[in-house]
Amino acid sequence: MIRTQVLGIGSYVPDRIVTNDELRFLNERHERQAEPTIQTDDAWIQQRTGIRERRYVANDGQTSTSDLALQASQRALADAGVAASEIDCIIFGSLSPDFHFPGTGVVLQQKLGISGGNCACYDIRQQCSSFVYGLQMADALIKTGVYKRVLLVGAELHSHSLDFTTRGRDVTVLFGDGASAMVLGPQDTDDARSGVLYTAAYADGSGANDLNLKIYEIKRLPYLDYDPKDRDNNKLMYPHMDGKRVFLNAIRGMVMSSQKALAVTGMTWDDITWFVPHQANLRINEKVVEFAKIPPEKALNTIQFYGNTTAATVPLTIDYWRQQGKVKKGDRILTSVFGSGFTWGAAIFQV
Ligand code: COA
């Protein structure tokens, strides 16, 4: 039977580290000011979220989301021993795409040097749940023989669309820039527990107004009604979030989807090597571990030093802990994710 295997993983974060203390002094161009620009402090951020620092791209206006994705993709391809020319499908998850359209998948395809018609490109908009949604798509497309080498990418350049004033502090402190990628392909095997063995994706559109970044509303005339030089008066340019509703729904969605993943597959935590949750808030992940009765030593996080990189978080965290020597080839991962939409989901797979 054809089953989907993870052939390689790669990740990339920019070099610039922005600590909680430095963040307080940055303007919208990420330049340090003499006086604080955001009324916040390291103790508040760490206590509520566990975040100590995050990464930002250089503030020279030269880097796009696709550039972060390119770095992560090249690392994943090298890890898999697969040439870019072998990729016949890209699935690209991002809430910070290079442009409104076309999707960033085709931009990445061109940067990888594989444009020309032999590689399909999907862009998916499931925000922090992109990895599980994308993995489910890749798994279905590979198992049915449609594609043989799928590049699943999550990349985010958040730092250009955050509000560097006190008004936006609840959101701005949470997010960082980064990218991750996975190469997936088929293997003919009778081992029902190998490779990608479970994916489940959920959505509840009644949460659509609780976390979003509108920029424009197409129903309006003119559909863009702000002056981009007057960012302070233009709320649509910045993310909007009902933090408490997101917090509570994230815990519920991640607990229930994790428990269901085990129930459906008949597995227990003895069968799972690592729990790698989406990285939105360390306090959310601690509650999920507690309520879902997950062995705490199996939970892997990176939010402390990368913040929330949305579509990138899960393979980014796996890759980080692989480089630290914890995650090893063949380890079985259970992931659960939650994000804007609301969307959420869970997956079990071997790396
Ligand atoms: N620094 C200092 N104070 C801040 C702050 C910051 N960065 N952000 C908010 N505050 C203030 C608020 O203004 C409020 O002040 P007030 O009581 O004077 O009005 C106070 O802190 C409490 O705000 P509240 O929103 O109730 O805080 P909270 O305990 O809910 O924590 C979050 C805020 C954002 C950390 C939390 O709601 C959260 O993590 N939610 C989930 C976010 C998330 O995961 N998003 C991505 C999902 S994929």
Side-chain angles (χ1 to χ4, degrees), residues 67-294:
D67 295 309
L68 307 183
L70 177 64
Q71 299 287 334
S73 299
Q74 287 173 332
R75 291 176 185 185
L77 289 164
D79 189 48
V82 167
S85 57
E86 294 176 68
I87 297 296
D88 50 6
C89 176
I90 293 171
I91 301 174
F92 198 115
S94 181
L95 66 71
S96 48
D98 285 15
F99 325 108
H100 176 49
F101 76 84
T104 315
V106 294
V107 183
L108 174 65
Q109 186 211 51
Q110 192 261 329
K111 288 185 176 175
L112 282 167
I114 55 171
S115 52
N118 296 321
C119 170
C121 294
Y122 291 93
D123 282 72
I124 60 169
R125 302 293 304 272
Q126 276 66 31
Q127 298 68 248
C128 298
S129 303
S130 285
F131 173 67
V132 167
Y133 269 75
L135 187 67
Q136 186 173 62
M137 281 178 74
D139 186 34
L141 291 164
I142 288 169
K143 273 186 188 152
T144 50
V146 179
Y147 298 118
K148 294 230 169 336
R149 292 286 181 270
V150 176
L151 181 63
L152 174 59
V153 185
E156 304 287 359
L157 202 171
H158 285 311
S159 62
H160 286 185
S161 59
L162 297 172
D163 183 354
F164 289 88
T165 69
T166 297
R167 180 182 64 183
R169 63 184 176 177
D170 56 333
V171 174
T172 301
V173 300
L174 301 176
F175 290 95
D177 302 338
S180 65
M182 250 185 196
V183 180
L184 298 131
Q187 191 186 31
D188 201 351
T189 172
D190 293 330
D191 181 358
R193 293 189 148 206
S194 81
V196 178
L197 61 94
Y198 176 85
T199 61
Y202 308 96
D204 173 6
S206 71
N209 285 326
D210 292 326
L211 177 54
N212 57 36
L213 169 53
K214 288 192 172 165
I215 301 186
Y216 70 85
E217 288 185 289
I218 202 75
K219 67 184 177 190
R220 295 161 69 133
L221 276 171
Y223 77 109
L224 283 172
D225 69 349
Y226 61 75
D227 174 0
K229 295 200 175 71
D230 185 12
R231 289 173 67 124
D232 273 0
N233 285 322
N234 295 300
K235 283 190 185 170
L236 287 189
M237 286 187 72
Y238 303 112
H240 154 79
M241 180 175 75
D242 182 333
K244 282 202 182 354
R245 267 183 58 79
V246 174
F247 193 95
L248 294 173
N249 280 282
I251 294 170
R252 187 164 53 202
M254 290 166 73
V255 166
M256 288 173 65
S257 59
S258 301
Q259 290 177 328
K260 191 166 176 193
L262 293 180
V264 170
T265 56
M267 292 190 164
T268 70
W269 283 103
D270 289 342
D271 301 304
I272 306 292
T273 331
W274 304 108
F275 175 58
V276 183
H278 170 53
Q279 305 290 304
N281 182 325
L282 191 60
R283 308 305 161 219
I284 291 177
N285 291 354
E286 288 166 349
K287 288 288 174 206
V288 172
V289 164
E290 182 188 337
F291 296 156
K293 299 191 172 40
I294 299 168

Side-chain angles (χ1 to χ4, degrees), residues 296-348:
E297 68 280 6
K298 294 198 172 190
L300 300 181
N301 293 292
T302 50
I303 184 152
Q304 301 93 321
F305 34 90
Y306 292 153
N308 183 351
T309 57
T310 306
T313 61
V314 174
L316 180 63
T317 300
I318 294 170
D319 197 31
Y320 175 86
W321 286 109
R322 193 173 63 151
Q323 287 170 32
Q324 304 303 309
K326 264 197 165 182
V327 176
K328 301 202 168 51
K329 188 84 192 146
D331 282 359
R332 189 173 289 122
I333 309 278
L334 191 157
T335 185
S336 67
V337 296
F338 185 91
S340 162
F342 296 133
T343 55
W344 67 101
I348 300 177

Side-chain angles (χ1 to χ4, degrees), residues 56-69:
Y56 282 5
V57 296
N59 59 346
D60 55 9
Q62 297 300 313
T63 306
S64 288
T65 303
S66 57
D67 295 309
L68 307 183

